[in-house]
Amino acid sequence: AYPNIKQSVVLVKEQIETGNKYLVAYYINDSIIEERRLREYLKKVLPDYMIPNVFISMTTFPLTISGKLNRNLL
């Protein structure tokens, strides 16, 4: 629901060394968005444990041949 974000997906990733899990948010946007502003917005609508640790801006999401999100390429 954040302005200028067209699509987003959040995935759980795991650190190889420690096995710790963390959230990564991938999003497609129209203009540059400061990560700080995204965090401030999300803190108002989500509990702390649901706020991604990393935000990655993309122009498009990788798709499979069938047109679904290719999570392996993210």
Side-chain angles (χ1 to χ4, degrees):
Y2 192 85
N4 298 324
I5 291 184
K6 294 180 177 180
Q7 290 181 303
S8 63
V9 63
V10 177
L11 300 178
V12 177
K13 299 285 185 168
E14 187 173 340
Q15 285 183 319
I16 296 170
E17 305 85 29
T18 62
N20 292 337
K21 294 183 180 183
Y22 60 98
L23 297 176
V24 179
Y26 300 91
Y27 62 95
I28 298 173
N29 58 315
D30 288 334
S31 60
I32 297 172
I33 301 171
E34 292 180 31
E35 185 176 317
R36 177 183 56 84
R37 293 187 187 265
L38 280 174
R39 285 188 190 283
E40 288 173 2
Y41 174 79
L42 291 174
K43 283 182 180 181
K44 294 176 186 175
V45 295
L46 294 173
D48 285 342
Y49 71 92
M50 292 181 75
I51 297 174
N53 302 84
V54 180
F55 293 88
I56 300 175
S57 175
M58 303 182 76
T59 54
T60 60
F61 288 145
L63 302 177
T64 62
I65 294 172
S66 61
K68 296 181 181 180
L69 177 66
N70 190 336
R71 295 171 185 268
N72 294 328
L73 293 179
L74 292 175

